[in-house]
Structure formats: structure tokens, C-alpha cells
Amino acid sequence: MICQFSFKNFRSYKSENIFDFRAAAIPEFSESLLSSEKGDKLLPVGVVYGPNGGGKSNLLRALTCLISTVVKPIKDLEKNRESVIIQHRDNCIPFLFDQESREQPTEFVIYFRQGKNEYCYNLALKEDEIISESLYWRAIGGKRTGTVFERERAVITLGSSLRKSGINRTVNPKMPYLSFLAINYDIPIITEVQRWFESCVIRSYGNASVEKRIMVYKDGAVRNTILTALNDMGIDLSGYRFDEMEERLYTQRKIGGETYEICFEEESEGTKKLIAVLPVILLALQEGRLVVVDELDAKLHPKLLRYVISLFKNKNINRKGAQLLFTSQDMSTLRNTVFRRDEIWFAALNDCHESEIYSLYEIRREDNERVNSTAAFDKQYLEGRYGADPYLSNMLAGGDWG
């Protein structure tokens, strides 16, 4: 489970920004929080709103860049431990509207839990070269932190857990040392960290081709689960069939005792989106994975989007601690009946043309009090009270719509 992610000097973000999955001390949806015996409770869901060009997608791309930088060399050499990896690569590009930033590295820091441990991984990149890197660990809820390794360019220092193993400290300057260790050694603590990075699911539905990548399960129980979920969402399917000769998926409906098939491409855009995303969501829920999705709401009816969100917030379904982070423009789900205040985030440009992120829980009203949990989040957002959509509020206030 991800606890916190911070980054700086990445695309539209110049200064350090922090996205936090640690739950604030607020009462709403407390039953949905992910908890362990020790340690902070974590959020199952995070959503990012904001205007086009404000930095929503770049936040997700920053996380994607970090994860894929670690996983790609492992997968390329077929040394991965997870059999199913659903990710794509994103390049590391610094903030370009400042000459000093162009010359500085991009920095990432991520805290996550795997097994009984919490890890902190740091990575600094410049033009695909590793400037610095480190990995630390501690028991969940513990106070003592142990060093796995630290790296400053070519100089690598090993912690006590690795020092006795005769491990090579010479590595390609463009390869993360974490990836190098995962590829070349069978070290339990490295394998545990590697599995977390490999398990992360990354999808961008702003790219139409992604909807054509369908996970087709042959296992009957899994197929039935998918069909049940689709029917719960109002998509009336009795089955589906993948023709290996044609390499084409067919959906099936039973009408009047007869089964009829149509080609997947002939389905509605919303149905195609659901058939593409649902198997991935169910895999994540079954195995406790992090799901990062850009434009999850694209082509989805708001009721269907709410259904997907509810899967992660229902602890009877989400038993393994799966988490969902996504961007959205859908105002009908920006409600206190769907999200906690700390699950709602905004991305917007400041006066220096730099993206910034902040949660609804951080916002203070004019009286210096927090936004009420009972507030009409969607209405106040469109009125510009949260500062993340000045363009829309300006148009509504000053435009001639007669």
C-alpha cells in the first residue's frame, strides 16, 4: 500500500509537491480506511480534479516515471517476480520554464508498505542518469529505521542486511541499483520491494488504444466474477469468447433462449471501456495492488464510475488493501456522499506557471476553518472557492452567453 509520494522538478511541477494517502483524523467513511495492527490508517482512494493543463496528468506521470524506471530493466531481462505487469513507461522531463530547473535533477520519494514493513525509496534522475538513490525500511509502526543501501552517483554504501553478501557495487549509471539487485540477486528484502513496484497497475484512458488491451481470463470463476460485476453495472452480458484464430473478442447475450454474439468493436464506447478496465480493477482488488488511472471517468456513466470507486471503499470486497488513484473531470462524483475530504485533491497552475497540488482537507475558508464535510463540494468547486478552476469561474462571471 502506498503511504506518501513526493516529487519535484518534473514537467509542470517545479517545487516539491506531496500526495498523501495517510488518512486525516476526520470521521467520514472511517469504515473504508485501510488499517493494520500498527501504523497510520491509509486511504483506499485518491482523486485529482483541476482544469486542463493544470497538472492532473503530470502528477500521475511522475508516479508512473518512478515506478517504470525501476520495473522496466527488470521486465526487459525477464527477471520479474510478478507474472502480470500492467504498466507503461514515462520519460523524466524537468520543469522547462526556468533555466536553473533545466540543469537540476528530478527527485522522487515514495513511502509504501509491503508485508510487515514500510519502505522509503528515493530516486534522483537527470537525463536518465541516476544522480542519487536510497532505500530504507522499518517495521510498520516502528521507530527504528534501517538502511538497505545509499547511492551518490557511482558511490554505493550498503546497509548491514546487504553488507555480508559480497554484493557488486558497480552498476550502469542509467540503471537503478534497486533494479540491479533485483535482477542479479535473490535477497528477500529486495524481492519484497520489487514485488510492490511490479504490482502497481498504470493505465491512461486518454489513449484510445488502451481500451483495446483486454485481459481475457480462462478461469471460469474469474469470468463469472467479471460477468456478475458487469451485470451489476447494467451491462447485460451472458458471456464472452475470445477467438484465437481471429484474435478477436466477442460478447454474448442470451435473448429468448438463444445466445447471440457481437464483435467487441461493435459495443458502445462505455461498454468497451468497462470491459477493458474491469478485469484490471478486479485483479487489483484480488491481489491488493495500487491502480493509477488517468481519465478513469472518460466514457463512463457517473453511476458506473461511482460503482468502481465503491469497490475500493468496501472492505468486504477490498480485503487485501488495494488502492485507486485517478484523475477526473466528473462533477457528479465530487460529493461528500462519495469521497472523504482528504481523498479529494486539486491540481492547478500558480502565478509562476507552476503546477501545485493540495487536498480539499487542507483548504481553509475565510474564517480559517476547514471546509465542512457536509458542504456541496461540486458547487463550491465550480464557484472557484477551491482555487483549482479559475478559468471556468471567470467564464461564468464575465462571459456573454446570450
Side-chain angles (χ1 to χ4, degrees):
M1 292 181 281
I2 186 171
C3 306
Q4 188 184 84
F5 172 60
S6 65
F7 61 102
K8 64 184 296 186
N9 196 27
F10 181 84
R11 295 185 181 268
S12 59
Y13 291 87
K14 178 182 177 182
S15 303
E16 182 184 49
N17 280 261
I18 300 173
F19 193 99
D20 209 334
F21 266 93
R22 295 175 300 174
I26 53 178
E28 57 258 38
F29 292 105
S30 59
E31 72 284 352
S32 71
L33 298 179
L34 308 177
S35 57
S36 55
E37 280 187 31
K38 302 175 181 178
D40 300 324
K41 292 184 177 180
L42 303 178
L43 302 171
V45 174
V47 59
V48 189
Y49 292 93
N52 291 330
K56 298 188 304 297
S57 296
N58 284 343
L59 163 61
L60 270 56
R61 294 179 79 172
L63 184 54
T64 299
C65 179
L66 172 61
I67 293 169
S68 63
T69 298
V70 171
V71 174
K72 187 178 186 301
I74 300 172
K75 190 171 186 296
D76 286 348
L77 293 173
E78 299 182 348
K79 295 291 185 177
N80 46 293
R81 265 74 166 185
E82 290 287 347
S83 57
V84 180
I85 297 178
I86 307 171
Q87 297 176 3
H88 60 265
R89 181 77 192 271
D90 211 312
N91 296 326
C92 185
I93 298 175
F95 183 77
L96 298 177
F97 298 144
D98 176 84
Q99 190 58 44
E100 184 178 350
S101 297
R102 287 170 175 260
E103 306 301 323
Q104 296 297 316
T106 298
E107 300 177 25
F108 306 100
V109 181
I110 190 165
Y111 292 84
F112 60 94
R113 293 175 186 169
Q114 183 78 328
K116 297 181 179 180
N117 296 323
E118 184 171 297
Y119 295 94
C120 174
Y121 180 64
N122 301 261
L123 185 68
L125 295 170
K126 182 182 177 184
E127 297 176 354
D128 293 331
E129 191 167 310
I130 310 298
I131 304 302
S132 65
E133 183 185 7
S134 59
L135 178 64
Y136 306 99
W137 75 278
R138 68 177 181 181
I140 295 175
K143 295 182 179 179
R144 294 184 59 185
T145 299
T147 300
V148 182
F149 68 82
E150 295 176 329
R151 173 186 186 180
E152 289 292 333
R153 293 191 181 270
V155 179
I156 295 174
T157 305
L158 302 180
S160 58
S161 59
L162 301 185
R163 203 177 296 136
K164 304 171 185 177
S165 307
I167 291 173
N168 190 348
R169 303 188 197 188
T170 303
V171 62
N172 186 305
K174 292 189 176 183
M175 176 178 283
Y177 194 57
L178 173 57
S179 309
F180 173 82
L181 292 173
I183 290 167
N184 292 285
Y185 301 95
D186 189 14
I187 303 168
I189 196 169
I190 297 299
T191 298
E192 187 166 73
V193 171
Q194 175 192 357
R195 281 189 178 279
W196 185 85
F197 277 98
E198 290 179 2
S199 72
C200 297
V201 175
I202 300 168
R203 276 285 180 258
S204 173
Y205 287 101
N207 182 349
S209 66
V210 173
E211 293 175 14
K212 299 177 182 178
R213 301 171 194 164
I214 311 297
M215 292 179 63
V216 180
Y217 286 95
K218 295 182 179 180
D219 182 89
V222 178
R223 289 166 66 96
N224 288 336
T225 300
I226 293 171
L227 290 170
T228 299
L230 286 169
N231 281 277
D232 285 346
M233 295 183 185
I235 308 299
D236 185 21
L237 296 184
S238 60
Y240 58 84
R241 178 180 65 86
F242 183 74
D243 192 307
E244 295 186 1
M245 293 288 291
E246 298 180 16
E247 294 187 345
R248 176 169 286 183
L249 181 68
Y250 289 89
T251 56
Q252 300 170 334
R253 290 170 174 82
K254 188 167 284 188
I255 302 172
E258 294 288 333
T259 298
Y260 297 89
E261 291 188 339
I262 66 171
C263 180
F264 171 76
E265 286 78 8
E266 299 302 319
E267 291 283 0
S268 70
E269 294 300 315
T271 298
K272 286 192 288 187
K273 172 72 173 288
L274 273 177
I275 292 174
V277 74
L278 192 58
V280 174
I281 294 294
L282 294 178
L283 172 69
L285 290 165
Q286 181 181 349
E287 299 185 358
R289 298 187 178 207
L290 168 67
V291 181
V292 181
V293 186
D294 196 14
E295 298 190 29
L296 176 60
D297 58 324
K299 303 176 186 175
L300 277 187
H301 189 282
K303 288 185 178 180
L304 302 183
L305 178 59
R306 288 191 188 196
Y307 182 91
V308 171
I309 295 167
S310 72
L311 293 176
F312 287 84
K313 294 171 77 76
N314 185 334
K315 292 186 79 170
N316 292 323
I317 296 172
N318 185 9
R319 299 175 182 176
K320 296 283 187 71
Q323 292 168 291
L324 173 65
L325 172 61
F326 69 101
T327 63
S328 181
Q329 298 277 20
D330 184 75
M331 292 297 100
S332 66
T333 52
L334 184 53
R335 304 278 178 84
N336 56 37
T337 55
V338 179
F339 295 113
R340 290 164 52 101
R341 285 166 290 171
D342 52 355
E343 290 175 330
I344 298 171
W345 289 71
F346 302 102
L349 295 177
N350 62 22
D351 293 338
C352 298
H353 212 75
E354 303 168 18
S355 291
E356 295 178 332
I357 59 171
Y358 50 94
S359 76
L360 177 57
Y361 181 67
E362 296 175 67
I363 295 174
R364 298 280 182 168
R365 303 183 316 218
E366 292 180 359
D367 59 3
N368 204 37
E369 294 295 321
R370 299 189 189 277
V371 175
N372 285 333
S373 61
T374 56
F377 300 155
D378 55 342
K379 181 174 180 290
Q380 292 186 356
Y381 172 74
L382 290 175
E383 290 173 349
R385 297 195 200 182
Y386 302 157
D389 208 346
Y391 313 111
L392 184 56
S393 59
N394 287 343
M395 286 192 294
L396 292 176
D400 182 3
W401 298 91

